[in-house]
Amino acid sequence: MLPELFFYYNATVITVLSALVVTRSNPVHSIMLMLVMFFHIAALYLFLNAEFLAAIQIIVYAGAILVLFLFVVLLLNLKKELVTQIFIVRWPLGLVAMAGLLVLMFAGIKSFTLGPTGDFTIEKIAGETHTAAIGTVLFTEYIVPFEVASLVLLIAIIGAIVLAKKQIKT
Amino acid sequence: MVELQWYLYLSAAVFTIGVFGFLTRRNIIFMFISIELMLNGVNISLVSFSHYLQDPRGQILAFFVITVAAAEAAIGLAIIISVFRNKETVYVDEMTETKG
């Protein structure tokens, strides 16, 4: 009973907060609501025995990406957003597209059945700790994608500096 | 025990709310926030698949999704800053130089 209650609480909060995030007119309010949402998603990851991902979710999403968003919002001074039209003129069309996608996905999920299970059981995670178990797979089977990810981050660092720096008049 | 289907319903709901925000908001910063919502919705389903199939690969993929989201946020916000510096606007319907 308690696990279901925990899941339903988290699911309700995540859905309501994500609906609020896309409809607020003040970007700072939206980002703060998103912070609460990320903490609830991290709680769901803990519930699914993914401690490493819960920590990464809080460190990277709440600690880095949202702070970056907040910096940009404060840098741009968006006073106009509070008084202007926040949606495009044809926003009901977006609602129709969303409803169609939702119905399609729910119809697909209903007929979903689970395939054969692997060997990443709870006992194995408890035996060698979650971070070690994930790290073993990441650094053996997925070492090439891991190195490519480091390259992607390097390009992101250089690209962000090049794009955001002031143009020097020659 | 919570059924896997409920996680997938939650993931689909978060993803479609992100799609709605991306399609309808005028402010480019909110469009980026909606993209983050969509990525989070996908991550929920990846981690729940990983748990219910007892396979670590779903969590590895979620890890890479978070990496790409960080890179995308850095590049995208740099683009927003440089557009705002040149155009003094963050509204996508006022950025019409390329006639797209």
Side-chain angles (χ1 to χ4, degrees):
Chain A
M1 189 59 213
L2 203 61
E4 278 90 349
L5 224 61
F6 182 78
F7 172 77
Y8 291 136
Y9 162 72
N10 274 303
T12 318
V13 170
I14 288 170
T15 316
V16 170
L17 283 181
S18 51
L20 283 174
V21 162
V22 297
T23 51
R24 292 305 89 192
S25 60
N26 192 333
V28 179
H29 291 177
S30 182
I31 288 167
M32 287 301 151
L33 289 171
M34 208 170 174
L35 179 67
V36 180
M37 196 193 91
F38 283 160
F39 275 106
H40 282 85
I41 290 178
L44 265 192
Y45 288 171
L46 279 181
F47 193 52
L48 290 166
N49 297 321
E51 295 106 76
F52 179 66
L53 274 174
I56 287 289
Q57 171 84 11
I58 290 174
I59 294 169
V60 175
Y61 263 117
I65 295 180
L66 281 191
V67 171
L68 203 63
F69 270 103
L70 212 55
F71 269 134
V72 171
V73 167
L74 298 178
L75 214 60
L76 296 189
N77 185 20
L78 299 170
K79 288 258 168 54
K80 198 180 154 201
E81 179 76 13
L82 298 176
V83 290
T84 188
Q85 189 80 35
I86 61 170
F87 291 117
I88 55 167
V89 183
R90 292 189 207 87
W91 67 267
L93 220 60
L95 203 63
V96 169
M98 174 201 169
L101 195 62
L102 199 66
V103 167
L104 212 65
M105 278 181 172
F106 274 28
I109 289 166
K110 202 189 274 180
S111 59
F112 178 81
T113 49
L114 218 54
T117 54
D119 58 348
F120 196 65
T121 53
I122 296 167
E123 290 76 33
K124 194 189 171 194
I125 299 171
E128 54 178 324
T129 74
H130 182 258
T131 311
I134 286 286
T136 309
V137 182
L138 192 61
F139 289 127
T140 53
E141 199 176 334
Y142 288 90
I143 185 70
V144 177
F146 185 77
E147 295 299 332
V148 173
S150 71
L151 207 63
V152 167
L153 286 174
L154 179 69
I155 292 166
I157 296 166
I158 296 170
I161 294 169
V162 169
L163 283 169
K165 81 173 201 302
K166 269 209 157 63
Q167 297 291 322
I168 300 163
K169 295 259 166 28
T170 47
Chain B
M1 195 68 176
V2 184
E3 290 284 317
L4 172 62
Q5 260 82 354
W6 287 104
Y7 284 99
L8 300 183
Y9 286 137
L10 171 66
S11 160
V14 174
F15 185 86
T16 45
I17 290 169
V19 169
F20 172 72
F22 184 78
L23 289 177
T24 56
R25 289 300 293 240
R26 289 178 65 222
N27 192 328
I28 194 165
I29 289 174
F30 276 97
M31 290 173 74
F32 267 92
I33 288 175
S34 304
I35 291 175
E36 300 297 332
L37 273 185
M38 285 195 259
L39 290 171
N40 266 290
V42 172
N43 267 354
I44 291 172
S45 73
L46 283 176
V47 175
S48 58
F49 274 135
S50 167
H51 175 68
Y52 282 90
L53 289 171
Q54 297 183 338
D55 195 311
R57 287 172 186 81
Q59 293 178 25
I60 305 278
L61 195 53
F63 173 79
F64 286 127
V65 169
I66 292 176
T67 313
V68 171
E72 172 253 328
I75 294 275
L77 292 171
I79 291 173
I80 293 174
I81 288 178
S82 60
V83 166
F84 188 78
R85 188 181 291 142
N86 292 317
K87 293 284 300 166
E88 293 288 318
T89 182
V90 287
Y91 298 108
V92 282
D93 44 6
E94 291 168 13
M95 301 172 188
T96 50
E97 267 65 45
T98 53
K99 311 285 180 206

Short mmCIF file of all heavy atoms in Angstrom, two decimals, chain B residues 24-61:
data_model
loop_
_atom_site.label_atom_id
_atom_site.label_comp_id
_atom_site.label_asym_id
_atom_site.label_seq_id
_atom_site.Cartn_x
_atom_site.Cartn_y
_atom_site.Cartn_z
N THR B 24 3.62 25.86 -28.42
CA THR B 24 2.74 27.02 -28.25
C THR B 24 3.37 28.23 -27.59
O THR B 24 2.82 29.32 -27.72
CB THR B 24 1.50 26.63 -27.44
OG1 THR B 24 1.94 26.07 -26.21
CG2 THR B 24 0.67 25.62 -28.17
N ARG B 25 4.49 28.08 -26.86
CA ARG B 25 5.04 29.26 -26.20
C ARG B 25 5.74 30.16 -27.20
O ARG B 25 6.36 29.68 -28.15
CB ARG B 25 6.04 28.85 -25.11
CG ARG B 25 5.42 28.22 -23.90
CD ARG B 25 4.42 29.11 -23.20
NE ARG B 25 5.01 30.27 -22.59
CZ ARG B 25 4.96 30.56 -21.30
NH1 ARG B 25 4.37 29.76 -20.46
NH2 ARG B 25 5.50 31.67 -20.84
N ARG B 26 5.65 31.48 -26.97
CA ARG B 26 6.33 32.43 -27.84
C ARG B 26 7.76 32.68 -27.39
O ARG B 26 8.63 32.98 -28.20
CB ARG B 26 5.59 33.78 -27.84
CG ARG B 26 4.28 33.76 -28.55
CD ARG B 26 3.61 35.10 -28.44
NE ARG B 26 4.38 36.14 -29.13
CZ ARG B 26 4.59 37.36 -28.64
NH1 ARG B 26 4.12 37.70 -27.47
NH2 ARG B 26 5.29 38.23 -29.32
N ASN B 27 7.99 32.57 -26.08
CA ASN B 27 9.30 32.89 -25.51
C ASN B 27 10.25 31.72 -25.75
O ASN B 27 9.95 30.57 -25.41
CB ASN B 27 9.14 33.14 -24.02
CG ASN B 27 10.36 33.75 -23.40
OD1 ASN B 27 11.46 33.48 -23.84
ND2 ASN B 27 10.16 34.56 -22.40
N ILE B 28 11.44 32.01 -26.30
CA ILE B 28 12.38 30.93 -26.67
C ILE B 28 12.94 30.25 -25.43
O ILE B 28 13.25 29.05 -25.45
CB ILE B 28 13.49 31.48 -27.59
CG1 ILE B 28 14.25 30.34 -28.25
CG2 ILE B 28 14.42 32.39 -26.86
CD1 ILE B 28 15.09 30.77 -29.41
N ILE B 29 13.01 30.96 -24.29
CA ILE B 29 13.50 30.33 -23.05
C ILE B 29 12.52 29.26 -22.59
O ILE B 29 12.91 28.17 -22.16
CB ILE B 29 13.70 31.40 -21.96
CG1 ILE B 29 14.90 32.27 -22.32
CG2 ILE B 29 13.93 30.77 -20.61
CD1 ILE B 29 15.10 33.43 -21.40
N PHE B 30 11.21 29.54 -22.73
CA PHE B 30 10.22 28.53 -22.34
C PHE B 30 10.24 27.34 -23.28
O PHE B 30 9.94 26.22 -22.88
CB PHE B 30 8.82 29.16 -22.29
CG PHE B 30 8.55 29.82 -20.98
CD1 PHE B 30 8.72 31.17 -20.84
CD2 PHE B 30 8.16 29.08 -19.89
CE1 PHE B 30 8.49 31.78 -19.63
CE2 PHE B 30 7.93 29.68 -18.69
CZ PHE B 30 8.09 31.04 -18.55
N MET B 31 10.60 27.58 -24.56
CA MET B 31 10.74 26.45 -25.47
C MET B 31 11.86 25.54 -25.02
O MET B 31 11.74 24.31 -25.06
CB MET B 31 10.98 26.96 -26.89
CG MET B 31 9.76 27.63 -27.48
SD MET B 31 10.09 28.40 -29.06
CE MET B 31 10.20 27.00 -30.12
N PHE B 32 12.97 26.14 -24.53
CA PHE B 32 14.06 25.31 -24.02
C PHE B 32 13.65 24.56 -22.76
O PHE B 32 14.00 23.39 -22.58
CB PHE B 32 15.30 26.17 -23.76
CG PHE B 32 16.21 26.19 -24.93
CD1 PHE B 32 16.10 27.17 -25.89
CD2 PHE B 32 17.14 25.19 -25.09
CE1 PHE B 32 16.92 27.17 -26.98
CE2 PHE B 32 17.96 25.19 -26.19
CZ PHE B 32 17.86 26.17 -27.14
N ILE B 33 12.89 25.22 -21.88
CA ILE B 33 12.40 24.54 -20.67
C ILE B 33 11.52 23.36 -21.05
O ILE B 33 11.59 22.29 -20.45
CB ILE B 33 11.65 25.56 -19.77
CG1 ILE B 33 12.65 26.52 -19.13
CG2 ILE B 33 10.86 24.85 -18.70
CD1 ILE B 33 12.03 27.61 -18.32
N SER B 34 10.70 23.53 -22.11
CA SER B 34 9.84 22.43 -22.56
C SER B 34 10.67 21.27 -23.08
O SER B 34 10.31 20.10 -22.88
CB SER B 34 8.90 22.91 -23.65
OG SER B 34 8.16 24.01 -23.20
N ILE B 35 11.81 21.58 -23.76
CA ILE B 35 12.68 20.49 -24.23
C ILE B 35 13.23 19.72 -23.03
O ILE B 35 13.29 18.48 -23.05
CB ILE B 35 13.82 21.06 -25.09
CG1 ILE B 35 13.26 21.59 -26.40
CG2 ILE B 35 14.85 19.98 -25.39
CD1 ILE B 35 14.29 22.27 -27.25
N GLU B 36 13.61 20.43 -21.97
CA GLU B 36 14.09 19.75 -20.77
C GLU B 36 13.00 18.85 -20.18
O GLU B 36 13.28 17.74 -19.71
CB GLU B 36 14.54 20.76 -19.71
CG GLU B 36 15.66 21.68 -20.14
CD GLU B 36 16.94 20.94 -20.44
OE1 GLU B 36 17.15 19.88 -19.86
OE2 GLU B 36 17.71 21.43 -21.28
N LEU B 37 11.75 19.33 -20.22
CA LEU B 37 10.63 18.50 -19.73
C LEU B 37 10.51 17.22 -20.55
O LEU B 37 10.34 16.13 -20.00
CB LEU B 37 9.32 19.27 -19.85
CG LEU B 37 8.88 20.18 -18.71
CD1 LEU B 37 7.51 20.73 -19.01
CD2 LEU B 37 8.87 19.44 -17.42
N MET B 38 10.62 17.35 -21.88
CA MET B 38 10.51 16.16 -22.73
C MET B 38 11.62 15.17 -22.42
O MET B 38 11.37 13.96 -22.30
CB MET B 38 10.58 16.57 -24.20
CG MET B 38 9.34 17.22 -24.73
SD MET B 38 9.37 17.25 -26.51
CE MET B 38 9.85 18.92 -26.81
N LEU B 39 12.86 15.67 -22.25
CA LEU B 39 13.98 14.78 -21.95
C LEU B 39 13.77 14.07 -20.62
O LEU B 39 14.08 12.89 -20.47
CB LEU B 39 15.29 15.57 -21.93
CG LEU B 39 15.77 16.10 -23.27
CD1 LEU B 39 16.93 17.04 -23.08
CD2 LEU B 39 16.18 14.97 -24.17
N ASN B 40 13.19 14.80 -19.63
CA ASN B 40 12.92 14.17 -18.34
C ASN B 40 11.85 13.10 -18.44
O ASN B 40 11.95 12.06 -17.78
CB ASN B 40 12.51 15.24 -17.33
CG ASN B 40 13.69 15.73 -16.55
OD1 ASN B 40 14.22 15.00 -15.73
ND2 ASN B 40 14.13 16.92 -16.83
N GLY B 41 10.83 13.35 -19.27
CA GLY B 41 9.79 12.33 -19.47
C GLY B 41 10.37 11.06 -20.04
O GLY B 41 10.05 9.95 -19.60
N VAL B 42 11.27 11.20 -21.03
CA VAL B 42 11.91 10.02 -21.61
C VAL B 42 12.77 9.31 -20.58
O VAL B 42 12.79 8.08 -20.51
CB VAL B 42 12.72 10.43 -22.86
CG1 VAL B 42 13.55 9.27 -23.36
CG2 VAL B 42 11.82 10.93 -23.94
N ASN B 43 13.49 10.09 -19.75
CA ASN B 43 14.35 9.49 -18.74
C ASN B 43 13.57 8.65 -17.75
O ASN B 43 14.04 7.60 -17.32
CB ASN B 43 15.11 10.59 -17.99
CG ASN B 43 16.44 10.87 -18.61
OD1 ASN B 43 16.85 10.18 -19.54
ND2 ASN B 43 17.12 11.86 -18.12
N ILE B 44 12.37 9.13 -17.36
CA ILE B 44 11.55 8.35 -16.42
C ILE B 44 11.26 6.98 -17.00
O ILE B 44 11.41 5.95 -16.34
CB ILE B 44 10.24 9.10 -16.10
CG1 ILE B 44 10.52 10.34 -15.27
CG2 ILE B 44 9.28 8.19 -15.32
CD1 ILE B 44 9.31 11.22 -15.10
N SER B 45 10.87 6.94 -18.30
CA SER B 45 10.53 5.64 -18.88
C SER B 45 11.78 4.78 -19.03
O SER B 45 11.72 3.56 -18.83
CB SER B 45 9.81 5.82 -20.21
OG SER B 45 10.68 6.23 -21.19
N LEU B 46 12.93 5.38 -19.36
CA LEU B 46 14.15 4.58 -19.51
C LEU B 46 14.54 3.93 -18.19
O LEU B 46 14.87 2.74 -18.14
CB LEU B 46 15.30 5.47 -19.99
CG LEU B 46 15.32 5.84 -21.47
CD1 LEU B 46 16.46 6.80 -21.74
CD2 LEU B 46 15.46 4.62 -22.32
N VAL B 47 14.48 4.72 -17.08
CA VAL B 47 14.89 4.17 -15.78
C VAL B 47 13.89 3.12 -15.32
O VAL B 47 14.29 2.09 -14.74
CB VAL B 47 15.04 5.30 -14.74
CG1 VAL B 47 15.34 4.74 -13.38
CG2 VAL B 47 16.15 6.23 -15.15
N SER B 48 12.59 3.32 -15.59
CA SER B 48 11.61 2.32 -15.14
C SER B 48 11.75 1.04 -15.97
O SER B 48 11.67 -0.07 -15.42
CB SER B 48 10.20 2.87 -15.21
OG SER B 48 9.90 3.28 -16.50
N PHE B 49 12.04 1.16 -17.27
CA PHE B 49 12.33 -0.04 -18.08
C PHE B 49 13.53 -0.78 -17.50
O PHE B 49 13.52 -2.01 -17.38
CB PHE B 49 12.65 0.35 -19.52
CG PHE B 49 11.44 0.49 -20.39
CD1 PHE B 49 11.31 1.58 -21.23
CD2 PHE B 49 10.45 -0.47 -20.39
CE1 PHE B 49 10.20 1.72 -22.04
CE2 PHE B 49 9.34 -0.34 -21.19
CZ PHE B 49 9.22 0.76 -22.02
N SER B 50 14.58 -0.01 -17.16
CA SER B 50 15.79 -0.61 -16.62
C SER B 50 15.50 -1.40 -15.35
O SER B 50 16.03 -2.49 -15.14
CB SER B 50 16.81 0.48 -16.36
OG SER B 50 17.86 0.00 -15.59
N HIS B 51 14.61 -0.84 -14.50
CA HIS B 51 14.29 -1.52 -13.24
C HIS B 51 13.47 -2.78 -13.49
O HIS B 51 13.74 -3.84 -12.93
CB HIS B 51 13.54 -0.57 -12.32
CG HIS B 51 13.07 -1.20 -11.05
ND1 HIS B 51 13.94 -1.61 -10.08
CD2 HIS B 51 11.83 -1.50 -10.60
CE1 HIS B 51 13.25 -2.14 -9.08
NE2 HIS B 51 11.97 -2.08 -9.37
N TYR B 52 12.45 -2.66 -14.36
CA TYR B 52 11.54 -3.79 -14.52
C TYR B 52 12.12 -4.89 -15.40
O TYR B 52 11.78 -6.05 -15.24
CB TYR B 52 10.20 -3.31 -15.08
CG TYR B 52 9.35 -2.67 -14.01
CD1 TYR B 52 9.43 -1.31 -13.76
CD2 TYR B 52 8.50 -3.43 -13.23
CE1 TYR B 52 8.69 -0.73 -12.77
CE2 TYR B 52 7.75 -2.87 -12.23
CZ TYR B 52 7.85 -1.51 -12.01
OH TYR B 52 7.12 -0.93 -11.01
N LEU B 53 13.02 -4.54 -16.34
CA LEU B 53 13.69 -5.56 -17.15
C LEU B 53 14.97 -6.05 -16.50
O LEU B 53 15.65 -6.94 -17.02
CB LEU B 53 14.00 -5.01 -18.54
CG LEU B 53 12.82 -4.79 -19.48
CD1 LEU B 53 13.26 -4.05 -20.72
CD2 LEU B 53 12.21 -6.12 -19.87
N GLN B 54 15.35 -5.45 -15.36
CA GLN B 54 16.57 -5.80 -14.63
C GLN B 54 17.78 -5.78 -15.54
O GLN B 54 18.54 -6.74 -15.64
CB GLN B 54 16.40 -7.16 -13.95
CG GLN B 54 15.29 -7.12 -12.92
CD GLN B 54 15.11 -8.41 -12.19
OE1 GLN B 54 15.52 -9.45 -12.68
NE2 GLN B 54 14.51 -8.34 -11.03
N ASP B 55 17.95 -4.67 -16.22
CA ASP B 55 19.04 -4.51 -17.19
C ASP B 55 19.63 -3.11 -17.00
O ASP B 55 18.90 -2.14 -16.96
CB ASP B 55 18.45 -4.66 -18.61
CG ASP B 55 19.54 -4.88 -19.63
OD1 ASP B 55 20.52 -4.11 -19.61
OD2 ASP B 55 19.42 -5.81 -20.44
N PRO B 56 20.96 -2.99 -16.83
CA PRO B 56 21.53 -1.66 -16.55
C PRO B 56 21.55 -0.72 -17.75
O PRO B 56 21.81 0.46 -17.60
CB PRO B 56 22.95 -1.98 -16.09
CG PRO B 56 23.26 -3.27 -16.75
CD PRO B 56 21.98 -4.03 -16.82
N ARG B 57 21.28 -1.23 -18.96
CA ARG B 57 21.49 -0.41 -20.16
C ARG B 57 20.55 0.78 -20.23
O ARG B 57 20.91 1.83 -20.76
CB ARG B 57 21.34 -1.28 -21.41
CG ARG B 57 22.54 -2.19 -21.60
CD ARG B 57 22.32 -3.19 -22.70
NE ARG B 57 23.44 -4.13 -22.74
CZ ARG B 57 23.55 -5.17 -21.94
NH1 ARG B 57 22.61 -5.42 -21.04
NH2 ARG B 57 24.58 -5.95 -22.01
N GLY B 58 19.33 0.63 -19.69
CA GLY B 58 18.41 1.77 -19.67
C GLY B 58 18.95 2.93 -18.86
O GLY B 58 18.84 4.09 -19.27
N GLN B 59 19.59 2.61 -17.73
CA GLN B 59 20.16 3.68 -16.90
C GLN B 59 21.37 4.31 -17.56
O GLN B 59 21.61 5.51 -17.42
CB GLN B 59 20.50 3.13 -15.52
CG GLN B 59 19.26 2.75 -14.76
CD GLN B 59 19.56 2.17 -13.41
OE1 GLN B 59 20.59 2.44 -12.84
NE2 GLN B 59 18.65 1.37 -12.91
N ILE B 60 22.16 3.50 -18.30
CA ILE B 60 23.30 4.05 -19.05
C ILE B 60 22.78 5.06 -20.08
O ILE B 60 23.31 6.16 -20.23
CB ILE B 60 24.06 2.91 -19.77
CG1 ILE B 60 24.50 1.83 -18.81
CG2 ILE B 60 25.23 3.48 -20.56
CD1 ILE B 60 25.73 2.09 -18.06
N LEU B 61 21.71 4.67 -20.78
CA LEU B 61 21.14 5.55 -21.81
C LEU B 61 20.60 6.84 -21.18
O LEU B 61 20.80 7.93 -21.72
CB LEU B 61 20.04 4.81 -22.57
CG LEU B 61 19.57 5.42 -23.88
CD1 LEU B 61 20.75 5.68 -24.78
CD2 LEU B 61 18.59 4.50 -24.56
#
